C-alpha cells in the first residue's frame, strides 16, 4: 500500500509539472480597430505605432489606440490584388535621424509594377525628404507575389524580400534579376558590404547582382532576425501546400520552383524536379498538403509569457491563426501550437512591442491591433 501511495504521489507530481509548463492560451486585448486591411506594424521609440493599410495609407496609432489621419507625402502606390502599401520599419538610429522605411508596389509604364522601397524623415506626423531607394527589376504586370518584408540586420543593412511575381517563377533561379530574391542593401539603396556576390567575390556566378543575398524564393511575407545568431529567418508562401519556414543562407539557393514541397493548383501535380536536392537549402519546416499562408514573423525575447521566451511566432492568413513554434537550440522546430483560432481572422503581422508584449495585426476591412496577455 505504501509503495502504491508513493507511486500515486509521484504520478501526481509529474502531472502537475507537465501542466505547469503549458501556458494557457492568452487573451486578446483590442488596442485599436477601424484599420482597413492593415499590412504591417512598427513601433516608434515613444510607444506610438506605424501601421500601413494596403490601399496606400500610412497611419500613426497612439499608445491609447487612437488612429491618426493618413500621413501625406507617400509615393504613388499601385494597390490591387496582393499589391499596395506593404511593410514598414523604423531605422535603428531613429533617435538620431528620424527615418522610417516602407515597401510598396510601385506603378510603372504599360501597366507594369514592382516592389519598391522608400524612406523618409518623420517629424511629428509629417513626412519629409521622401526618397525611393530601391526598385525591383524587372517590373511586370499583375497583382501577385510582391514579397515585401523589411528587416534590419545587426550591421544596419536592410534585407528586402522580393516575390517571383507568380508568372515569372522560373526567373527565381536566375541571379541577374530581382525576381524571387532576397536583397541586402544599405540605407541609401546600394549593395551592402559583405554580400555574397559583391564585386571580386570568389565563386560568384556570372552576372550575379551584388545586392542579392539569396535566391530561389517564391513569396516571402514573414521575416525576422534570430535573436541569438543574428541570422535571417523567413516564411514563404507555397502554391498548393509547400509553405516554408527557412533559415535564409547567404548566397544559397532555396529551391523555388525547381525544388519544392508544393503542388500545382487544382491538379496537385509535382512542380520541378522534386522535394530535395543537395545544393538547395531545405526548409526548417514545411506545411503540406494544405497551405496556411504564412505572414508576419517574430521571435519572443521578453519574459512576459511564462515558458514562451525564445519561441517563434508566425501569422497565418488562410490558416487564420497565430502559430507558436518551440525551438530546440538555434535551428530546430520541435513543436507547433495554433493560437487565436477562435477569432476567425487572418493574422497578417506579429511584433514584440517595446513593452515585451506580443501584438498582432488582423487583415480585414475592420482590421485590429491586438495585444496578447496571459
Amino acid at each position: 500500500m505504501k509503495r502504491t501511495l508513493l507511486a500515486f504521489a509521484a504520478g501526481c507530481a509529474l502531472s502537475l509539472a507537465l501542466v505547469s509548463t503549458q501556458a494557457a492560451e492568452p487573451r486578446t486585448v483590442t488596442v485599436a480597430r477601424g484599420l482597413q486591411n492593415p499590412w504591417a506594424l512598427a513601433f516608434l521609440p515613444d510607444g506610438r505605432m506605424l501601421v500601413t493599410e494596403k490601399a496606400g495609407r500610412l497611419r500613426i496609432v497612439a499608445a491609447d489606440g487612437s488612429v491618426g489621419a493618413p500621413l501625406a507625402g507617400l509615393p504613388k502606390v499601385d494597390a490591387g490584388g496582393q499589391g499596395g502599401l506593404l511593410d514598414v520599419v523604423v531605422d535603428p538610429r531613429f533617435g538620431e535621424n528620424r527615418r522610417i522605411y516602407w515597401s510598396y508596389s510601385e506603378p510603372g509604364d504599360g501597366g507594369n509594377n514592382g516592389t519598391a522601397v522608400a524612406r523618409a524623415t518623420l517629424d511629428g506626423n509629417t513626412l519629409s525628404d521622401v526618397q525611393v531607394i530601391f526598385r525591383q527589376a524587372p517590373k511586370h504586370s499583375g497583382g501577385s507575389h510582391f514579397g515585401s518584408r523589411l528587416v534590419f540586420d545587426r550591421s544596419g543593412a536592410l534585407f528586402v524580400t522580393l516575390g517571383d511575381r507568380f508568372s515569372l517563377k522560373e526567373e527565381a533561379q536566375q541571379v541577374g534579376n530581382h525576381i524571387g530574391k532576397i536583397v541586402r542593401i544599405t540605407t541609401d539603396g546600394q549593395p551592402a558590404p559583405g554580400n555574397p556576390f559583391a564585386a571580386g567575390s570568389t565563386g560568384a556566378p556570372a552576372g550575379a547582382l551584388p545586392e542579392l543575398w539569396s535566391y530561389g524564393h517564391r513569396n516571402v511575407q514573414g521575416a525576422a532576425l534570430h535573436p541569438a545568431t543574428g541570422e535571417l529567418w523567413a516564411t514563404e508562401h507555397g502554391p498548393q501546400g509547400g509553405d516554408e519556414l527557412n533559415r535564409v543562407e547567404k548566397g544559397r539557393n532555396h529551391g523555388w520552383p525547381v525544388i519544392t514541397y508544393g503542388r500545382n493548383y487544382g491538379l496537385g501535380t509535382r512542380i520541378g524536379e522534386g522535394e530535395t536536392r543537395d545544393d538547395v537549402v531545405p526548409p526548417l519546416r514545411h506545411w503540406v498538403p494544405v497551405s496556411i499562408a504564412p505572414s508576419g514573423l517574430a521571435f519572443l525575447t521578453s519574459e512576459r509569457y511564462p515558458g514562451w521566451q525564445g519561441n517563434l511566432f508566425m501569422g497565418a492568413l488562410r490558416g487564420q491563426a497565430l502559430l507558436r513554434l518551440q525551438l530546440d537550440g538555434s535551428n530546430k522546430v520541435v513543436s507547433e501550437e495554433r493560437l487565436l483560432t477562435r477569432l476567425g481572422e487572418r493574422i497578417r503581422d506579429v511584433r514584440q512591442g517595446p513593452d515585451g508584449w506580443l501584438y498582432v495585426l488582423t487583415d480585414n476591412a475592420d482590421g485590429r491591433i491586438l495585444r496578447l496577455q496571459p
Side-chain angles (χ1 to χ4, degrees):
M1 175 64 73
K2 183 176 180 181
R3 182 177 300 173
T4 302
L5 289 173
L6 288 173
F8 175 75
C12 289
L14 177 60
S15 298
L16 288 171
L18 290 173
V19 170
S20 68
T21 62
Q22 297 175 351
E25 178 164 332
R27 64 188 179 94
T28 57
V29 176
T30 299
V31 175
R33 66 183 319 145
L35 297 159
Q36 186 176 356
N37 299 111
W39 210 92
L41 168 70
F43 286 90
L44 293 166
D46 61 7
R48 294 183 300 161
M49 293 163 274
L50 293 167
V51 179
T52 60
E53 292 178 321
K54 194 162 154 290
R57 294 178 292 269
L58 175 62
R59 300 182 186 271
I60 294 179
V61 177
D64 65 2
S66 57
V67 179
L71 302 183
L74 271 69
K76 186 176 181 180
V77 172
D78 191 2
Q82 297 173 2
L85 184 59
L86 303 171
D87 207 6
V88 61
V89 292
V90 175
D91 194 296
R93 298 172 55 220
F94 181 83
E96 303 170 32
N97 59 31
R98 311 290 298 176
R99 282 180 181 165
I100 65 171
Y101 302 75
W102 64 90
S103 57
Y104 62 105
S105 50
E106 181 187 49
D109 297 333
N112 292 323
N113 54 29
T115 303
V117 179
R119 76 180 191 194
T121 302
L122 179 65
D123 294 316
N125 295 327
T126 303
L127 296 176
S128 61
D129 192 25
V130 177
Q131 301 176 45
V132 178
I133 63 170
F134 175 84
R135 290 181 167 96
Q136 183 183 30
K139 280 183 164 58
H140 180 67
S141 62
S144 299
H145 296 193
F146 294 91
S148 232
R149 285 296 172 187
L150 305 175
V151 177
F152 277 102
D153 72 8
R154 290 175 176 175
S155 73
L158 183 63
F159 287 113
V160 185
T161 74
L162 303 165
D164 71 348
R165 304 309 315 280
F166 189 75
S167 58
L168 295 182
K169 65 178 185 293
E170 303 301 332
E171 295 298 317
Q173 287 293 309
Q174 306 304 314
V175 293
N177 61 54
H178 297 143
I179 305 299
K181 310 298 191 299
I182 294 177
V183 301
R184 180 173 170 268
I185 58 176
T186 68
T187 54
D188 294 323
Q190 299 302 307
N195 281 354
F197 304 143
S201 297
T202 303
L209 299 179
E211 59 269 28
L212 298 191
W213 184 258
S214 59
Y215 62 103
H217 299 285
R218 185 172 185 266
N219 192 22
V220 174
Q221 290 193 356
L225 283 192
H226 191 289
T229 66
E231 295 172 314
L232 182 69
W233 287 36
T235 54
E236 185 164 336
H237 286 243
Q240 184 174 301
D243 296 337
E244 295 180 357
L245 169 66
N246 285 294
R247 184 180 62 172
V248 180
E249 296 195 20
K250 176 180 179 179
R252 297 289 303 279
N253 182 2
H254 284 262
W256 178 256
V258 180
I259 301 298
T260 175
Y261 288 91
R263 296 292 184 263
N264 282 303
Y265 288 112
L267 301 174
T269 52
R270 175 176 291 182
I271 299 172
E273 301 174 5
E275 297 174 347
T276 61
R277 200 172 74 185
D278 288 346
D279 63 322
V280 169
V281 180
L284 299 177
R285 192 173 185 86
H286 66 277
W287 286 264
V288 291
V290 178
S291 292
I292 60 171
S295 192
L297 195 67
F299 287 92
L300 180 70
T301 60
S302 79
E303 299 179 352
R304 287 287 197 180
Y305 308 89
W308 285 8
Q309 188 177 30
N311 288 184
L312 181 62
F313 291 81
M314 181 174 76
L317 299 168
R318 187 177 188 274
Q320 296 187 338
L322 178 68
L323 274 62
R324 180 175 73 90
L325 303 177
Q326 185 177 357
L327 308 178
D328 179 13
S330 63
N331 60 13
K332 184 178 180 182
V333 179
V334 296
S335 69
E336 173 187 318
E337 180 182 12
R338 300 195 180 191
L339 308 169
L340 309 188
T341 55
R342 67 186 185 280
L343 297 179
E345 296 185 62
R346 290 156 53 92
I347 305 300
R348 172 63 74 179
D349 201 7
V350 54
R351 307 279 174 128
Q352 179 179 300
D355 54 9
W357 296 117
L358 283 172
Y359 291 79
V360 299
L361 202 58
T362 66
D363 175 16
N364 51 52
D366 183 20
R368 297 187 289 164
I369 300 173
L370 304 176
R371 182 173 62 244
L372 275 63
Q373 293 186 194

